[in-house]
Amino acid sequence: MPEEKYVAVVTQPDAVMQTGEAAFFDVDNTLMKGASLFHVARKMHQRGAFTLRQAAGFAWKQFKFVARGENMDDVHAVRDSALTLAAGITVEDVKALGEEVYDEMIASRIWPGAKALAQQHLRVGRRVWLVTGTPIEVAAVISTRLGLTGALGTVGEIADGMYTGRLVGDILHGAAKAVAVRELADAEGLDLKRCWAYSDSYNDIPLLTVVGHPVAINPDARLRRHARDNNWPVYDFRSGRRAATLGLKAATAGGAVYGLWRGYSRMRGPRA
């Protein structure tokens, strides 16, 4: 079972609980546009934690992430810089920073279609978890603000109420996500074959294949090909269009269609 600090339970579904069922959402480029970790770095720059040159480097990595998808060299570079800079910062300060990052930089970047999918799962009684490499403090804020069940995220080591600049374990990414979800399923009594997972990245194939209902959202090129070859549903909210819908359960279809319509309307805007 994962340690409690990996799991931030915040709500219970309004509907009758669907025993054994849940949905797992990646965050970066899946639930929101861009990478949440880069926004954390940007906020730290605003507080004077590092130089304009370093901030420009983070901004360039964020641009590449949005344009081309996840590059782990860039993610690790930002992670390592953030860890170094976080050393000596109190836990309470980081929690406050997470709230600020959500309000100022993340809330406006949530994809309406992805949010609608998560809400539809909640409406029919499924638990909805975020599974992300972003710091658990930020992941917990996103989960709480969206009314989701909880979050699994990357955990920084804490000593005497302050971050040491080291991780507990490693960044929650790739195969580590599948391991964390299996552990959570054991603890929560979930049947993974009756669960959903959503991601944009080929690196999350381990997460997507551990569940019975994998779905690609805003996929990178390799994940799009993999999804097509395996007849997985694909939703692309970047252009407001539905790329494919095969295999999505009827209970989720209504929310998906609504989300697609919302995403399409927002991208097009009002007609003249």
Side-chain angles (χ1 to χ4, degrees):
M1 174 179 176
E3 296 181 58
E4 285 298 318
K5 57 191 171 185
Y6 283 92
V7 182
V9 178
V10 296
T11 64
Q12 293 295 329
D14 294 330
V16 176
M17 182 76 71
Q18 298 293 322
T19 303
E21 297 184 9
F24 303 98
F25 281 77
D26 173 50
V27 172
D28 298 342
N29 261 3
T30 301
L31 188 62
M32 61 169 282
K33 179 180 180 180
S36 51
L37 183 59
F38 296 131
H39 296 301
V40 172
R42 177 182 168 189
K43 172 57 66 174
M44 292 178 72
H45 165 64
Q46 290 178 358
R47 293 188 171 190
F50 48 82
T51 67
L52 182 61
R53 181 176 181 180
Q54 288 172 310
F58 293 151
W60 173 241
K61 291 178 176 66
Q62 166 78 335
F63 171 78
K64 291 194 296 180
F65 182 83
V66 173
R68 298 187 300 189
E70 187 175 72
N71 179 293
M72 287 313 298
D73 288 339
D74 289 342
V75 173
H76 286 153
V78 175
R79 177 205 63 187
D80 293 342
S81 296
L83 283 171
T84 299
L85 295 165
I89 296 177
T90 69
V91 174
E92 291 305 313
D93 282 344
V94 171
K95 288 180 179 178
L97 183 143
E99 296 282 351
E100 291 179 23
V101 167
Y102 183 88
D103 289 336
E104 299 175 18
M105 303 171 185
I106 293 178
S108 62
R109 291 174 170 83
I110 298 293
W111 298 108
K115 180 180 177 180
L117 285 167
Q119 290 174 334
Q120 177 62 13
H121 282 295
L122 291 172
R123 278 194 292 270
V124 300
R126 298 190 189 101
R127 287 162 282 187
V128 178
W129 297 86
L130 301 182
V131 185
T132 175
T134 205
I136 186 61
E137 293 80 8
V138 178
V141 170
I142 298 171
S143 173
T144 301
R145 295 298 189 89
L146 294 178
L148 308 182
T149 307
L152 302 173
T154 298
V155 178
E157 183 183 72
I158 298 169
D160 299 323
M162 294 185 292
Y163 290 92
T164 66
R166 296 184 293 271
L167 289 179
V168 176
D170 200 0
I171 188 170
L172 190 60
H173 175 262
K177 287 186 178 181
V179 172
V181 164
R182 286 193 186 98
E183 292 176 346
L184 180 65
D186 289 342
E188 297 286 319
L190 301 175
D191 179 357
L192 288 176
K193 294 303 179 184
R194 295 165 55 202
C195 292
W196 280 254
Y198 299 82
S199 179
D200 71 295
S201 174
Y202 184 82
N203 292 318
D204 282 344
I205 289 291
L207 168 65
L208 293 167
T209 54
V210 80
V211 300
H213 306 291
V215 182
I217 292 182
N218 306 326
D220 59 31
R222 289 193 297 170
L223 179 57
R224 186 179 293 276
R225 287 193 297 270
H226 188 91
R228 182 186 62 229
D229 293 344
N230 289 273
N231 203 30
W232 291 356
V234 177
Y235 294 101
D236 198 328
F237 300 121
R238 294 167 297 190
S239 61
R241 64 182 175 83
R242 182 170 67 177
T245 58
L246 297 174
L248 196 60
K249 288 287 188 177
T252 304
V257 172
Y258 171 76
L260 289 166
W261 175 79
R262 282 292 302 275
Y264 181 72
S265 299
R266 176 167 292 192
M267 293 301 291
R268 290 190 63 182
R271 290 187 176 182

